[in-house]
Amino acid sequence: MDKLVVRGGNPLTGSLTVSGSKNTALPLMSAALLTDGRVTLSNVPDLKDVQTFARVIEVTGTTIEHTPQQHLISLNAGSLTRIEAPYELVKRMRASFYMLGALLGRMGKARVSLPGGCAWGPRPVDLHIQGMKALGAEIDLHQGYVVASAPAGRLPGGRVTLDPSSVGATINIILAATLARGSSVIENAAIEPDVVHFCEMLQAMGARLNGVGTRTLEIEGVDRLDPVDFENCPDRIEMGTFMIAAAIAGRPGQAVEIHHGRADHLGSAFMEAFQRTGTRVEESDSLIRVIAPEELRPVSVTTDIYPGFPTDLQAQWTVLMARCAGNSKVYETVYPDRFKHIPELQRMGVNAIIVGDEVVIEGGKAIQGTHVMSTDLRASVSLVLAGMVAEGETHVLRVYHLDRGYERLEEKLSGAGIDIERVRYDEWADPS
Ligand code: UD1
């Protein structure tokens, strides 16, 4: 296995470049299944999750040409014949469940494994299934699989209200509804930038969608969609992670430049909270300059759906708060159990405790390097951030979690002054 070894204390200087969005690339790849021509996506991040999803798609008979170094992926679903997404692949990545909507929409039937649990607790797919039923699909659960079919081969369409508003369910339902015989409406649809960008790709393919970016989304089914070449948007969570890195490890008063990001994709709650810490942000086009203050101020946050504070940035925010003299809270409303990073941060001397759905942080204490375990994607990056400002060496183990969502993180950070390297290790070796 690989680990990241971070020697703390170096300032973050210079610039960082944001890769394409992981959470948007996956639905864009799913959209390619709705047409029988070749779709080419650019700015696709070179990540494990993209490779996993490419394998899921290949099972259907779709041909894929992937050139990860160039961040390009071409998909041709003209040869799509199999309607299955097997457990062996779906269990590796929950977003594989998008195959349900894509296959139902394109083929009128699907057999997709239920994804099962998640590292930080239950993550249901009931809304996805409820949505497919509302569009007219017949659904059976059989031996861990969702077996879905459209009457007479094509969904009639229908109306569904999502509660809570779910990114994944919104995307899955849109995938199924776009080629339906009739019209559909999603009430309380997700409006995350990932969803909006995905809708824009479908519109470029000829889909009829109204209310994109609003809570009421109308989908008028069309008979066919055309292939398209489409550029993926920047990863807003990677950008937010870099902004936090600049605030905690940047030299006070000196700008860290973050290229190819979209500040508006982060949502107003993050930007407001970030600036209240005393960190300055200057934006121009796709360049964001982050200037760390002499002294960071504590700011409590509550995660919420877009444009609320993203749950995918709360672990990183906890590390930022650990650097501020004073107390703060991180209240998680999207995934109440998502605190697996806290015991690991506590091992580094971070004074943070979990109280119900909340983490209470007493900041300003020294952070110490040690061996810590990655438990999920965003938890692992929070450990790297803590390692950057810790005394001594931090070994972040099981870094495969981080590799799912951060492209060459150690190369990007070491290019900006951080002492970090990837090292192979044997997890079960006896201590010498
Ligand atoms: C996506 C992101 C993930 C992010 C999350 C919230 C991808 C691949 N993943 O996950 O990084 O943390 O949005 O911004 O894009 N829910 C239900 N029933 C369902 C589906 C969801 O109750 O059928 C609930 C969830 O438990 C959660 C809330 O809805 O409380 C929002 O989850 P959702 O937006 O669906 O998250 P994902 O799409 O899985």
Side-chain angles (χ1 to χ4, degrees):
M1 256 185 266
D2 286 358
K3 64 180 174 181
L4 290 179
V5 180
V6 195
R7 288 168 207 92
N10 281 12
L12 184 72
T13 53
S15 64
L16 292 161
T17 300
V18 178
S19 296
S21 164
K22 168 181 89 73
N23 286 354
T24 313
L26 305 172
L28 299 190
M29 288 166 71
S30 314
L33 300 185
L34 300 180
T35 175
D36 57 10
R38 182 184 159 103
V39 168
T40 299
L41 302 173
S42 54
N43 198 28
V44 174
D46 181 10
L47 293 173
K48 192 83 194 144
D49 271 10
V50 169
Q51 288 164 19
T52 302
F53 200 43
R55 291 201 52 203
V56 174
I57 290 176
E58 272 173 339
V59 168
T60 65
T62 299
T63 51
I64 294 190
E65 273 172 54
H66 190 188
T67 41
Q69 308 81 356
Q70 289 168 39
H71 300 109
L72 287 175
I73 191 161
S74 297
L75 307 98
N76 191 331
S79 49
L80 192 160
T81 48
R82 270 188 81 190
I83 50 117
E84 176 151 336
Y87 174 67
E88 291 67 27
L89 292 171
V90 177
K91 73 173 184 205
R92 291 188 204 163
M93 193 189 65
R94 298 178 56 80
S96 310
F97 204 61
Y98 289 147
M99 294 303 281
L100 180 63
L103 289 171
L104 249 182
R106 169 77 192 279
M107 305 295 281
K109 49 192 173 172
R111 185 172 180 274
V112 177
S113 170
L114 282 163
C118 159
W120 71 76
R123 281 177 79 181
V125 287
D126 57 313
L127 293 173
H128 300 236
I129 292 172
Q130 198 183 306
M132 300 306 157
K133 283 184 179 164
L135 300 187
E138 283 158 16
I139 305 266
D140 277 323
L141 299 183
H142 185 64
Q143 296 181 329
Y145 278 73
V146 179
V147 183
S149 59
R154 199 168 164 196
L155 289 171
R159 176 177 282 269
V160 60
T161 301
L162 297 178
D163 183 18
S165 166
S166 153
V167 173
T170 302
I171 289 170
N172 228 342
I173 296 165
I174 296 170
L175 283 165
T178 305
L179 290 170
R181 199 177 300 122
S183 296
S184 305
V185 176
I186 307 176
E187 298 282 9
N188 202 25
I191 56 168
E192 269 70 0
D194 320 78
V195 178
V196 172
H197 200 63
F198 159 76
C199 287
E200 284 167 359
M201 169 164 166
L202 286 174
Q203 285 173 319
M205 293 170 76
R208 296 217 187 106
L209 307 176
N210 292 316
V212 172
T214 73
R215 293 269 169 226
T216 303
L217 195 57
E218 291 167 17
I219 306 139
E220 208 183 306
V222 293
D223 291 339
R224 51 165 289 136
L225 292 175
D226 297 318
V228 73
D229 291 347
F230 200 74
E231 185 179 344
N232 185 25
C233 62
D235 196 304
R236 62 201 181 99
I237 304 302
E238 188 189 27
M239 184 178 71
T241 304
F242 288 166
M243 290 173 72
I244 292 174
I248 62 173
R251 279 205 183 96
Q254 284 186 22
V256 172
E257 295 195 337
I258 302 174
H259 295 270
H260 292 176
R262 286 272 308 258
D264 58 317
H265 279 189
L266 267 177
S268 49
F270 176 87
M271 294 306 274
E272 278 163 28
F274 190 68
Q275 294 183 61
R276 277 174 49 215
T277 66
T279 311
R280 266 181 29 230
V281 180
E282 295 169 359
E283 294 169 43
S284 59
D285 298 327
S286 65
L287 171 66
I288 294 136
R289 301 174 84 240
V290 178
I291 302 149
E294 287 296 336
E295 201 171 330
L296 287 160
R297 288 194 293 269
V299 179
S300 297
V301 294
T302 299
T303 66
D304 205 348
I305 54 174
Y306 189 83
F309 190 98
T311 170
D312 285 351
L313 284 170
Q314 57 96 335
Q316 301 89 314
W317 192 263
T318 300
V319 178
L320 177 61
M321 290 303 100
R323 295 289 288 164
C324 310
N327 298 339
S328 55
K329 289 179 181 177
V330 171
Y331 180 36
E332 173 62 75
T333 72
V334 182
Y335 293 112
D337 300 329
R338 196 177 191 181
F339 294 130
K340 291 281 189 288
H341 49 286
I342 296 300
E344 299 302 311
L345 289 173
Q346 286 168 343
R347 297 192 61 250
M348 299 180 75
V350 170
N351 195 357
I353 51 164
I354 305 168
V355 186
D357 298 346
E358 218 168 56
V359 171
V360 181
I361 306 135
E362 186 192 353
K365 305 269 181 288
I367 300 180
Q368 295 138 24
T370 185
H371 285 64
V372 282
M373 192 71 87
S374 305
T375 50
D376 64 73
L377 171 53
R378 308 301 169 188
S380 8
V381 85
S382 75
L383 301 174
V384 173
L385 292 176
M388 282 165 45
V389 289
E391 293 164 1
E393 249 180 39
T394 302
H395 293 237
V396 181
L397 310 180
R398 295 194 186 173
V399 80
Y400 59 86
H401 287 290
L402 186 139
D403 291 337
R404 291 186 48 196
Y406 288 91
E407 182 176 336
R408 291 191 284 278
L409 181 71
E410 70 279 14
E411 280 175 35
K412 291 187 184 184
L413 291 178
S414 61
I418 301 300
D419 187 345
I420 180 170
E421 64 175 329
R422 181 178 288 261
V423 177
R424 289 201 77 77
Y425 75 105
D426 176 1
E427 178 136 329
W428 306 108
D430 287 332
S432 50

